[in-house]
Amino acid sequence: MLEFEDAVALGDSIMVVTFNPHTLNATLFSIPRDTYVPITCYGNAMSKITHAASGGDSCMIETVQNFIDIDIDYYAKINFKGLVKLVDAVGGVDVNVEQTLCTDNSNREQQICIQPGYQTLDGEHALVYARNRKQLANGDFGRGQHQQEIVLALIEKIKQIRDVSQFMDILNTVS
């Protein structure tokens, strides 16, 4: 197996955002982690797109670019703890949870559950919502939808920020 400096783990969530500067419209879509594609850094050998992350950032970016046939100008990479910190930095995110969901916390020390209903989730509970796929009827597709909901809820919270110190906290978290 090849090793790369920036290789860490598999890519459990792959999202692409396109932005049209003329219409000011953005499109957000998820690529299911089990999508079978040629992995560029493995000589275009076919595998699940999630495996491209083990080849590092450049491998993932090139694989996604080749798969969807668009250039990726910017990218962001976030792990479980980063998501928790980001959601907490904006004061939580508002989502409508459809069913009870349970999974490990960001330290994988204990199980956390969220109950159905419209609510503001803190970072650990947002992670449960974004991470869970095994309890969802549509599996990874449902997880992708939940992750998009978390991203959109984060954007809504960030748009409402009027406090410079809170905005600086968010920038520090993202950096």
Side-chain angles (χ1 to χ4, degrees), residues 86-147:
L86 183 57
V87 169
D88 286 342
V90 300
V93 291
D94 301 326
V95 295
N96 185 29
V97 179
E98 311 89 16
Q99 69 183 70
T100 300
L101 298 170
C102 301
T103 193
D104 296 338
N105 70 355
S106 62
N107 293 322
R108 297 185 186 259
E109 298 169 334
Q110 64 185 20
Q111 190 174 69
I112 295 178
C113 296
I114 54 176
Q115 301 303 315
Y118 186 81
Q119 57 198 291
T120 300
L121 300 176
D122 67 8
E124 287 290 345
H125 291 90
L127 180 62
V128 171
Y129 191 72
R131 236 182 105 197
N132 197 298
R133 75 175 188 274
K134 294 181 180 175
Q135 292 175 289
L136 301 176
N138 54 355
D140 200 41
F141 293 106
R143 176 168 67 170
Q145 180 180 350
H146 285 185
Q147 291 166 349

Side-chain angles (χ1 to χ4, degrees), residues 26-164:
T27 302
L28 171 68
F29 67 94
S30 297
I31 301 173
R33 66 189 297 254
D34 292 338
T35 303
Y36 210 62
V37 300
I39 307 298
T40 59
C41 61
Y42 298 140
N44 287 321
M46 297 295 288
S47 190
K48 295 176 182 179
I49 198 166
T50 187
H51 296 154
S54 67
D57 296 347
S58 61
C59 182
M60 178 58 86
I61 292 166
E62 289 174 17
T63 299
V64 170
Q65 286 181 143
N66 289 345
F67 177 60
I68 61 175
D69 196 28
I70 64 171
D71 292 333
I72 305 292
D73 296 316
Y74 303 98
Y75 74 96
K77 186 164 84 170
I78 190 166
N79 61 20
F80 291 162
K81 291 180 187 285
L83 176 68
V84 169
K85 288 179 184 177
L86 183 57
V87 169
D88 286 342
V90 300
V93 291
D94 301 326
V95 295
N96 185 29
V97 179
E98 311 89 16
Q99 69 183 70
T100 300
L101 298 170
C102 301
T103 193
D104 296 338
N105 70 355
S106 62
N107 293 322
R108 297 185 186 259
E109 298 169 334
Q110 64 185 20
Q111 190 174 69
I112 295 178
C113 296
I114 54 176
Q115 301 303 315
Y118 186 81
Q119 57 198 291
T120 300
L121 300 176
D122 67 8
E124 287 290 345
H125 291 90
L127 180 62
V128 171
Y129 191 72
R131 236 182 105 197
N132 197 298
R133 75 175 188 274
K134 294 181 180 175
Q135 292 175 289
L136 301 176
N138 54 355
D140 200 41
F141 293 106
R143 176 168 67 170
Q145 180 180 350
H146 285 185
Q147 291 166 349
Q148 288 180 14
E149 289 174 32
I150 295 293
V151 168
L152 293 172
L154 278 165
I155 291 168
E156 284 304 312
K157 283 291 188 116
I158 291 169
K159 286 181 353 185
Q160 297 172 13
I161 293 174
R162 301 291 179 255
D163 181 336
V164 173

